[in-house]
Amino acid sequence: MQNTTPRENHPHSVTMSVKEKERYIENFQFPYCDESTKYEKVAKIGQGTFGEVFKARDKSNAKKFVALKKVLMDNEKEGFPITALREIRILQLLKHENVVNLIEICRTKATQNNRYRSTFYLVFDFCEHDLAGLLSNVNVKFSLGEIKKVMQQLLNGLYYIHSNKILHRDMKAANVLITKNGVLKLADFGLARAFSANKNGIPNRFTNRVVTLWYRPPELLLGERNYGPPVDLWGAGCIMAEMWTRSPIMQGNSEQQQLTLISQLCGSITPAVWPGVENLDLYKKMELPQQQKRKVKERLKYYLKDPYACDLLDKLLILDPSKRVDSDTALNHDFFWTDPMPCDLGKMLANHTQSMFEYLAPPRRPPQHMRAHHQIPGARPTTSAVQDNGYQDRVF
Ligand SMILES: Nc1ncnc2c1ncn2[C@@H]1O[C@H](COP(=O)(O)OP(=O)(O)OP(=O)(O)O)[C@@H](O)[C@H]1O
Ligand SMILES: [Mg+2]
């Protein structure tokens, strides 16, 4: 077997044996991409579709914790995955109090053991909880003022990303992080993309296979490809309701069933309430329940109680995306400007010294008054506990 490149073909290149190449890669100091050994993993806190997430300690600063999100390299023949590059580019652009902060990208050393393939990690500031984890713990009780603070920060984050022409496209409670001080951060930009208003009247043709089913807005379920920020506001509405119901309000198990659940809550999907809906690709292909009355306020007032809350939720869950409230208008809603005013979460969270993440929480049941048939989410694994600087991480 020949290991060397024939010198005469590349007069200026240095001939290297495979061994030499490997040693060269092993010893190369990549600028701007430190080795992940500067962090020490302490617990696994997430298992997403695209890889694992770990809590880790910064070895140079014992008080500093980060979240390491592994870049999944499986089936990658073309090098670094384009989806991860997109997520990184978007995170590098977005810098805001209510958006998770990407610190850097790290790598493991390429060695013989990993067949000279590095693992890459996205390194984030660590947040102690995610909203799905908090909502699944019955001991975590949000006051009305605290719920207002959560929604205000969430809408602030959306206002910021939409102003920067980014769609999140995966709004759900597990992708909303909350620090122990009560600061909310939108996270998981793995499905996010840039958007712009239709140029020269040519409609966008984005994929509509985005957003977790339970949080997916009706326009995507009906095949719309020329969509925009309202897709994220539908998700914000689902999350808002969940602040009271404590579990997702529409847990469909197919796209068809999700549309049925939406129609049962928000009323029949018709051209009368949503002009132009009849032109969407799947409008005629899906079975859309007729004669359904809109019952958002009626069914949710049992949970929400506050009339301003019901009114804002009603506006976030508007079927027609062009009529759905935008984040700016939502932030000006009386909900945020009447007593009790939005109130800091830090004090309430100080009562809880255990990190809460969806991955570590028991499965949540659908809320009683919202329950439809066949809606039991899959069981999650049981957990054990380890202690660490006052915060406990439940790990396997
Ligand atoms: N900065 C962070 N601090 C604390 N926890 C985090 C952080 N980033 C992510 N997590 C946790 O890890 C989970 C998965 O992370 P993320 O949503 O970014 O990955 P994902 O692979 O895209 O997940 P999924 O496919 O399930 O949406 C989050 O739901 C959250 O619980
Ligand atoms: Mg996620």
Side-chain angles (χ1 to χ4, degrees), residues 161-162 165-169 192-193 195 206 227-229 232:
I161 70 164
H162 293 159
K165 298 279 173 242
I166 299 293
L167 301 176
H168 185 282
R169 303 199 300 179
R193 68 156 298 149
F195 72 96
F206 302 152
Y227 55 82
D232 291 334

Side-chain angles (χ1 to χ4, degrees), residues 69 170 172 174-175 188:
K69 181 170 172 176
D170 199 12
K172 60 175 171 179
N175 289 341
D188 195 353

Side-chain angles (χ1 to χ4, degrees), residues 163-328:
S163 307
N164 279 280
K165 298 279 173 242
I166 299 293
L167 301 176
H168 185 282
R169 303 199 300 179
D170 199 12
M171 291 296 289
K172 60 175 171 179
N175 289 341
V176 174
L177 307 176
I178 300 198
T179 70
K180 64 172 188 291
N181 300 322
V183 182
L184 177 148
K185 314 267 181 190
L186 298 179
D188 195 353
F189 286 76
L191 283 178
R193 68 156 298 149
F195 72 96
S196 56
N198 309 160
K199 290 177 208 113
N200 325 319
I202 302 166
N204 292 320
R205 287 183 60 78
F206 302 152
T207 171
N208 48 46
R209 300 204 55 81
V210 284
V211 188
T212 305
L213 186 60
W214 297 347
Y215 298 82
R216 201 177 299 163
E219 64 269 30
L220 292 183
L221 290 162
L222 289 173
E224 177 67 276
R225 300 186 63 173
N226 184 29
Y227 55 82
V231 300
D232 291 334
L233 284 134
W234 179 271
C238 296
I239 294 170
M240 179 173 173
E242 213 171 316
M243 293 302 300
W244 285 274
T245 63
R246 308 291 293 219
S247 61
I249 56 167
M250 291 179 281
Q251 305 187 14
N253 54 21
S254 64
E255 281 151 22
Q256 175 59 63
Q257 201 200 1
Q258 195 64 31
L259 276 168
T260 304
L261 291 172
I262 290 174
S263 307
Q264 286 167 351
L265 182 65
C266 303
S268 292
I269 299 172
T270 63
V273 297
W274 180 353
V277 67
E278 66 278 15
N279 301 323
L280 292 180
D281 278 356
L282 301 177
Y283 177 74
K284 292 205 173 70
K285 299 200 180 88
M286 300 301 246
E287 217 173 280
L288 297 176
Q290 297 302 302
Q291 317 299 329
Q292 297 290 323
K293 261 183 43 207
R294 187 171 172 86
K295 306 183 198 83
V296 177
K297 283 186 173 166
E298 187 189 313
R299 277 173 70 189
L300 268 315
K301 72 170 186 246
Y302 171 86
Y303 293 94
L304 274 61
K305 299 195 173 77
D306 181 71
Y308 293 115
C310 289
D311 189 72
L312 176 57
L313 180 63
D314 198 39
K315 294 188 157 86
L316 287 165
L317 294 182
I318 290 178
L319 292 167
D320 180 347
S322 70
K323 298 191 191 114
R324 203 171 297 149
V325 72
D326 65 18
S327 39
D328 188 31

Side-chain angles (χ1 to χ4, degrees), residues 8 43 51 65 98 132 144 149 177 184 208 219 235 273-275 322 333 340 349 374 386 390 396:
E8 53 277 20
F65 287 90
N98 298 123
L144 181 56
K149 188 74 178 184
L177 307 176
L184 177 148
N208 48 46
E219 64 269 30
V273 297
W274 180 353
S322 70
H333 192 280
L349 290 173
H374 330 293
V386 289
F396 291 108

